[in-house]
Amino acid sequence: MKTEEAIIYSYGFATIASAIPAYSKRGDIVFVDKAACFAIQKGLQASRSDIKLFNHNDMDDLERLLKEQEIEDQKNPRKARVTRRFIIVEGLYMNTGTVCPLPELVKLKYKYKARIFLEESLSFGVLGEHGRGVTEHFGINIDDIDLISANMENSLASIGGFCCGRSFVIDHQRLSGQGYCFSASLPPLLAAAAIEALNIMEENPGIFAVLKEKCKRIHKALQGIPGLKVVGESISPALHLQLEETTGCRERDVKLLQEIVNQCMDRGIALTQARYLEKEEKYLPPPSIRVVVTVEQTEEELEKAASTISEVAQTVLL
Amino acid sequence: MADPGGGAVCNGTLHNQRAADCHGGNCWKNGVVKEAQQNGNSNFCKPFVESFEEAPLHVMVFTYLGYGIGTLFGYLRDFLRNSGIEKCNAAVEREEQKDFVPLYQNFENFYTRNLYMRIRDNWNRPICSAPGAVFDVMERVTDDYNWTFRFTGRVIKDVINMGSYNFLGLAAKYDESMSTVKEVLETYGLGVGSTRQEMGTLDKHKELEDLVAKFLNVEDAMVFGMGFATNSMNIPALVGKGCLILSDELNHASLVLGARLSGATIRIFKHNNMQSLEKLLRDAVIYGQPRTRRAWRKILILVEGIYSMEGSIVCLPDIVALKKKYKAYLYIDEAHSIGSVGPTGRGVVEFFGMDPRDIDVFMGTFTKSFGAAGGYIAGRKDLVDYLRTYSHSAAYATSMSPPVAEQIIRVMKLIMGLDGTTKGLQKIQQLAKNTRYFRQRLSKMGFIVYGNEESPVVPLLLYMPAKVAAFARHLLKRKIGVVVVGFPATPLAEARARFCVSAAHTREMLDTVLEALDEMGDLLDVKYSRNRKSARPELYDEMSFELED
């Protein structure tokens, strides 16, 4: 990742859930996107900081909140000098499949003096010319981001997670990251697998372009299905298919989607519904089917998948 | 084949006679015989010996004095660094971000910068072999007083390992019995890439869960990918607002985090102190919730089987009696005790000879005794089914990796004797023997050792921070690897060295270590114990058993 230092955790969920409370304590202010994933929510809950949510990918909303915070600061300068401010975003959001607008975020960071924590679980190994993530995708200097956290369970096909950044930031976690100090370390087998995967990524940078192609293709192929709309950008390998018109009741939506999934399964396409804990999430995303693409799938397989989903959707929904 | 106080295995097959419950007063359940209880006789007849000796006064004075001098010097060095007289080696904030609010409070890092940095070379030592009874440590030197390290490229071979949690000696290099793990790796690959509820449940997981349930004598079990995450993600699923959690003073960080994330009210009772717990239970039942005076929705008692920093074992019969009297639920975290205590290695429940149906939630990890990674929760079937749906981990976190699951299956079969040999049982008995020998010799030598006599976690108190560093460095020179712990994992004045006895240690290895410790104790003067040693010679030193004429 071309950073100074990195630290490895033995579980992907615990990575971001331990990194956030190590820096942000009670009394600090955190600006989070509404579509943040569950691990981030748990990390924030453990840190007991003040949380301010802004609308998904809405930079104006974020700027409004930052301005309000600035006004508050001027009323109480002594307190403002010790409260830290953080912005936590994901590179590629798991719940919606969209990319965060990083250049604007960096501008806001310097304007309002907040630190950015970037969570790159889906975008590491996917975006960017060499797979280095959303910073490479937008061409931003990696030192501008204070902490990048990712888990190795998606692109690297191992188990665990890592945080990387400057030594100044990362070294602190070695003594105060709960999932690092108080937990067992990663088994060597899984670490070796991750090292191999990184070597493969470095040796063949061509696979990222291939992946991008396939993502675009499947995105286009799934566009025309009646009754289902595609949520997610064309470069995202994990997209959601949501019902165009909901029946109004979440349970019935879930049942319908489950029908689609079951019938696809019968025809040889494995899909899954995106699972959420309904009572625990702050902003529950609507029920959807998650479609994930890998580099290994050939074009015929992608076409077949798209047409199967299309047929099944027509039979079930109409 | 010997019948080891429980009849767990007979010729490699398990007797499973759920239907025939009573055979002449004895109860058979999954092959474990429980003798019928008569009036007043309980199954538990082992003496429960725990000791937490206090240090002499001069030791405490010197310890605090040592910290005080360290702090003064710390202030001096900070002053020198800030005024530029001394070069600052620590990492600093970026130039562009100098006017941001500082990321760390000055005082937070004070301890790290000044006290921890001086003795930092005793922690985070990389090893380059399997953490068995002996292992290889990479040699590292520092040119600038521990600010940076550099590997010389040499490896210190055959260091006796007294630090890894390797209770049954199963964290060893590859040998033929691990070939099943290799096959699973080849069939299933490594990463699972999905959560349990979506696409991540493999048949290996089902097999493992059934095996864990059989091992613990409970109805059902569920496994997770990480031990820490098991606690922090399932306690919030079991209790919520309006519930009460009574947790021990010295509970592990994962239990504390899980309790905090759940949003329930937390009350702490003194370590292993039943009077304190009873008082809290009575207050809870009588007074109810703080403002509304309504009854608590649930009362959950969180304890651990063996506490990792103290080596003490929980007083289970008393807690179960209290729990039944006040109708609370019990959650026991057997991270260290599963596989290491009990006649057949089933944990503290078997150690005390109690009924597994008395405990509501069993939790444990596979990291310590099984040489793998991960955690489990076991108990009644409706509890586990609830967790399959509502646990945070099942919905959002990836499941356990297949080779790791296969390793645990293999080890569990070994311990239970299902592979037809008694190797598992021998390991457990060897561990018990090693533990007792080690502890007895240490307390005879005059060290202050905390904890229960039967626990394989042996903390040896060192108190002063400088002695802690000297201890670790000298022992490494003699090729013995130990773990030393100081503040903040232990109270400020009670720094200690923690030994983990393993079944893979031979008597010679233990003797080598004990001799080295003896010399260290004299050199550093850490033999603070004031208990008088017994005048009777120990039986293992005796050569003949006849009376001298």
Side-chain angles (χ1 to χ4, degrees):
Chain A
M1 291 290 284
K2 300 206 176 92
T3 54
E4 278 183 0
E5 199 167 329
I7 178 176
I8 304 274
Y9 285 86
S10 56
Y11 205 46
F13 191 97
T15 312
I16 191 71
S18 307
I20 298 179
Y23 299 102
S24 179
K25 313 266 192 241
R26 203 193 278 265
D28 294 333
I29 303 173
V30 181
F31 300 94
V32 194
D33 194 301
K34 277 187 183 163
C37 70
F38 194 69
I40 297 182
Q41 290 175 21
K42 282 294 144 189
L44 290 172
Q45 202 182 347
S47 74
R48 302 204 229 211
S49 321
D50 296 327
I51 307 175
K52 301 208 155 68
L53 298 148
F54 60 91
N55 290 331
H56 179 55
N57 267 353
D58 189 350
M59 290 299 110
D60 300 318
D61 201 20
L62 176 58
E63 186 146 13
R64 176 183 62 87
L65 284 172
L66 285 165
K67 276 210 180 77
E68 282 173 13
Q69 184 56 38
E70 221 183 344
I71 302 176
E72 284 280 328
D73 286 343
Q74 280 159 359
K75 285 190 209 152
N76 196 345
R78 278 185 64 198
K79 187 163 162 240
R81 241 179 295 139
V82 288
T83 47
R84 298 172 278 234
R85 264 145 262 159
F86 299 98
I87 302 178
I88 302 188
V89 280
E90 291 186 42
L92 200 59
Y93 286 92
M94 199 154 99
N95 293 343
T96 58
T98 46
V99 183
C100 77
L102 204 54
E104 286 101 39
L105 274 170
V106 172
K107 280 200 217 107
L108 284 175
K109 163 185 165 154
Y110 284 114
K111 192 164 161 202
Y112 292 98
K113 311 227 185 321
R115 295 174 200 265
I116 300 189
F117 283 0
L118 190 59
E119 220 262 307
E120 293 222 55
S121 291
L122 280 188
S123 48
F124 178 74
V126 166
L127 293 181
E129 271 178 46
H130 298 275
R132 295 212 168 87
V134 75
T135 44
E136 207 185 15
H137 179 77
F138 284 115
I140 296 181
N141 182 6
I142 199 141
D143 279 339
D144 278 335
I145 312 290
D146 294 278
L147 180 85
I148 298 185
S149 143
N151 69 13
M152 309 197 280
E153 293 159 3
N154 299 333
S155 305
L156 295 182
S158 175
I159 305 270
F162 65 87
C163 285
C164 60
R166 298 184 62 243
S167 296
F168 177 67
V169 181
I170 300 292
D171 230 3
H172 181 68
Q173 279 182 48
R174 288 196 198 273
L175 274 187
S176 64
Q178 292 221 325
Y180 185 78
C181 303
F182 294 113
S183 179
S185 45
L186 193 60
L189 177 66
L190 300 166
I195 295 177
E196 250 326 289
L198 280 171
N199 287 345
I200 294 179
M201 268 171 61
E202 275 183 36
E203 283 161 24
N204 332 1
I207 50 178
F208 302 113
V210 173
L211 181 63
K212 221 183 213 173
E213 255 311 302
K214 298 217 160 101
C215 293
K216 287 202 180 108
R217 184 177 285 267
I218 194 97
H219 196 83
K220 216 167 53 165
L222 288 174
Q223 283 291 1
I225 303 182
L228 289 177
K229 66 173 183 234
V230 178
V231 174
E233 291 192 16
S234 59
I235 44 174
S236 150
L239 355 131
H240 290 254
L241 288 170
Q242 290 174 6
L243 291 171
E244 268 193 33
E245 327 142 358
T246 70
T247 59
C249 164
R250 197 187 165 90
E251 272 196 35
R252 249 177 299 158
D253 287 348
V254 167
K255 274 210 182 70
L256 271 178
L257 289 171
Q258 192 59 38
E259 248 319 295
I260 301 183
V261 167
N262 290 347
Q263 290 201 10
C264 283
M265 203 63 113
D266 294 330
R267 300 188 197 199
I269 309 283
L271 285 179
T272 174
Q273 272 203 43
R275 296 268 178 209
Y276 305 104
L277 279 178
E278 280 150 27
K279 296 194 200 131
E280 305 275 340
E281 285 258 11
K282 286 217 165 80
Y283 284 95
L284 195 54
S288 57
I289 301 181
R290 188 181 291 139
V291 177
V292 185
V293 191
T294 64
V295 170
E296 307 232 319
Q297 287 164 346
T298 61
E299 311 210 337
E300 300 95 51
E301 285 173 358
L302 291 178
E303 293 293 340
K304 176 171 176 248
S307 53
T308 320
I309 300 177
S310 169
E311 284 168 24
V312 168
Q314 279 178 349
T315 42
V316 169
L317 292 172
L318 296 174
Chain B
M1 195 192 267
D3 197 3
V9 175
C10 191
N11 289 345
T13 57
L14 272 187
H15 291 279
N16 195 345
Q17 297 178 339
R18 271 183 212 270
D21 252 10
C22 278
H23 273 238
N26 284 1
C27 209
W28 286 76
K29 187 171 189 275
N30 282 351
V32 177
V33 176
K34 293 202 298 261
E35 285 91 22
Q37 296 195 351
Q38 292 167 331
N39 297 341
N41 293 357
S42 70
N43 281 338
F44 175 60
C45 50
K46 271 193 283 277
F48 192 80
V49 177
E50 272 193 5
S51 70
F52 293 97
E53 200 184 322
E54 262 200 33
L57 185 60
H58 71 272
V59 173
M60 304 301 276
V61 167
F62 278 122
T63 310
Y64 284 117
L65 204 61
Y67 275 112
I69 296 181
T71 318
L72 279 176
F73 266 93
Y75 279 125
L76 178 66
R77 297 289 286 271
D78 266 351
F79 171 69
L80 290 177
R81 270 192 278 263
N82 284 345
S83 57
I85 302 179
E86 189 178 332
K87 193 165 68 106
C88 184
N89 276 337
V92 284
E93 182 68 271
R94 283 176 75 204
E95 278 308 319
E96 298 93 338
Q97 294 183 209
K98 280 268 182 218
D99 52 348
F100 280 35
V101 178
L103 190 54
Y104 311 119
Q105 307 275 11
N106 237 348
F107 193 70
E108 242 174 67
N109 264 16
F110 182 80
Y111 178 78
T112 317
R113 259 199 321 268
N114 298 309
L115 293 166
Y116 178 68
M117 213 39 107
R118 289 173 186 270
I119 49 178
R120 194 162 84 118
D121 59 318
N122 297 317
W123 287 276
N124 287 335
R125 287 187 191 138
I127 64 175
C128 51
S129 74
V134 292
F135 64 162
D136 305 330
V137 178
M138 294 182 72
E139 195 178 327
R140 57 180 189 168
V141 293
T142 171
D143 303 314
D144 48 0
Y145 298 107
N146 288 348
W147 285 100
T148 56
F149 291 106
R150 139 182 94 81
F151 292 110
T152 60
R154 279 194 298 266
V155 165
I156 310 179
K157 285 197 168 301
D158 293 334
V159 180
I160 298 183
N161 185 359
M162 296 300 292
S164 306
Y165 295 125
N166 185 12
F167 295 131
L168 297 177
L170 292 162
K173 280 201 320 225
Y174 184 80
D175 61 4
E176 265 323 300
S177 55
M178 292 199 204
S179 56
T180 48
V181 180
K182 194 160 161 211
E183 281 162 34
V184 166
L185 177 61
E186 284 168 8
T187 332
Y188 288 92
L190 204 47
V192 182
S194 188
T195 68
R196 282 299 290 266
Q197 282 185 0
E198 291 180 13
M199 283 248 203
T201 304
L202 308 170
D203 51 355
K204 279 282 158 220
H205 292 138
K206 285 228 77 48
E207 200 185 324
L208 178 57
E209 288 173 0
D210 291 335
L211 200 58
V212 170
K214 207 155 57 164
F215 183 71
L216 293 171
N217 246 337
V218 289
E219 288 177 24
D220 204 356
M222 182 174 178
V223 298
F224 303 93
M226 184 194 192
F228 186 97
T230 310
N231 272 330
S232 56
M233 292 202 258
N234 289 308
I235 298 181
L238 293 173
V239 289
K241 271 198 155 43
C243 303
L244 176 66
I245 292 185
L246 296 172
S247 103
D248 191 295
E249 218 180 352
L250 298 174
N251 266 340
H252 190 250
S254 57
L255 288 167
V256 171
L257 186 63
R260 269 179 42 204
L261 284 179
S262 67
T265 317
I266 307 176
R267 300 221 175 120
I268 302 186
F269 63 92
K270 290 209 180 115
H271 178 59
N272 244 353
N273 188 331
M274 296 302 117
Q275 284 78 20
S276 169
L277 178 59
E278 176 152 22
K279 179 164 187 309
L280 282 180
L281 275 169
R282 287 176 77 93
D283 286 342
V285 171
I286 295 174
Y287 293 115
Q289 298 189 25
R291 262 167 302 182
T292 60
R293 295 284 195 237
R294 286 163 66 183
W296 295 100
R297 279 176 35 211
K298 268 185 267 210
I299 303 183
L300 185 69
I301 308 178
L302 290 181
V303 284
E304 290 190 35
I306 294 186
Y307 291 90
S308 55
M309 283 298 148
E310 313 288 313
S312 51
I313 300 188
V314 67
C315 212
L316 201 58
D318 298 344
I319 292 198
V320 171
L322 276 178
K323 158 192 125 78
K324 285 185 177 158
K325 182 172 168 189
Y326 292 99
K327 309 247 187 329
Y329 296 104
L330 184 58
Y331 181 109
I332 184 162
D333 176 348
E334 294 208 73
H336 293 262
S337 51
I338 191 77
S340 55
V341 291
T344 52
R346 260 48 163 188
V348 275
V349 174
E350 203 197 12
F351 180 71
F352 288 108
M354 306 193 62
D355 186 357
R357 279 171 298 186
D358 285 335
I359 318 276
D360 302 291
V361 192
F362 287 87
M363 179 262 166
T365 61
F366 298 118
T367 329
K368 319 311 195 289
S369 312
F370 295 88
Y376 67 84
I377 290 211
R380 288 182 26 216
K381 189 155 173 32
D382 39 2
L383 169 79
V384 177
D385 282 340
Y386 178 82
L387 280 180
R388 281 193 221 275
T389 329
Y390 288 104
S391 157
H392 302 331
S393 160
Y396 294 107
T398 41
S399 27
M400 198 188 258
S401 175
V404 175
E406 176 59 32
Q407 158 79 351
I408 303 171
I409 293 177
R410 176 186 83 88
V411 167
M412 232 177 225
K413 286 192 177 149
L414 180 73
I415 298 181
M416 285 162 75
L418 288 178
D419 59 340
T421 66
T422 48
K423 272 204 287 210
L425 221 39
Q426 279 169 3
K427 283 193 202 278
I428 297 174
Q429 285 165 350
Q430 180 70 29
L431 175 66
K433 268 193 280 202
N434 283 355
T435 310
R436 278 193 284 263
Y437 177 66
F438 197 70
R439 274 183 174 267
Q440 275 174 358
R441 286 285 302 269
L442 275 183
S443 42
K444 257 187 53 172
M445 281 186 206
F447 290 104
I448 296 188
V449 176
Y450 273 6
N452 194 309
E453 278 211 348
E454 312 266 350
S455 102
V457 175
V458 185
L460 190 149
L461 272 283
L462 293 171
Y463 297 105
M464 297 180 208
K467 293 197 185 178
V468 160
F471 194 79
R473 287 175 188 152
H474 274 280
L475 281 179
L476 187 61
K477 277 208 207 100
R478 286 159 183 267
K479 311 230 298 191
I480 299 175
V482 293
V483 166
V484 288
V485 222
F487 183 78
T490 63
L492 185 64
E494 292 179 16
R496 58 198 72 175
R498 188 184 63 186
F499 299 102
C500 291
V501 184
S502 156
H505 286 134
T506 58
R507 190 53 84 85
E508 294 84 40
M509 284 190 221
L510 288 181
D511 284 334
T512 326
V513 175
L514 285 164
E515 272 170 36
L517 286 180
D518 210 357
E519 289 177 34
M520 278 293 107
D522 290 326
L523 181 66
L524 296 175
D525 193 25
V526 277
K527 294 187 177 177
Y528 298 125
S529 176
R530 285 173 293 189
N531 291 338
R532 277 188 316 167
K533 299 149 195 128
S534 156
R536 273 181 313 158
E538 291 297 339
L539 280 178
Y540 49 73
D541 280 340
E542 287 270 326
M543 286 293 129
S544 73
F545 292 98
E546 288 159 345
L547 290 172
E548 262 94 47
D549 283 321

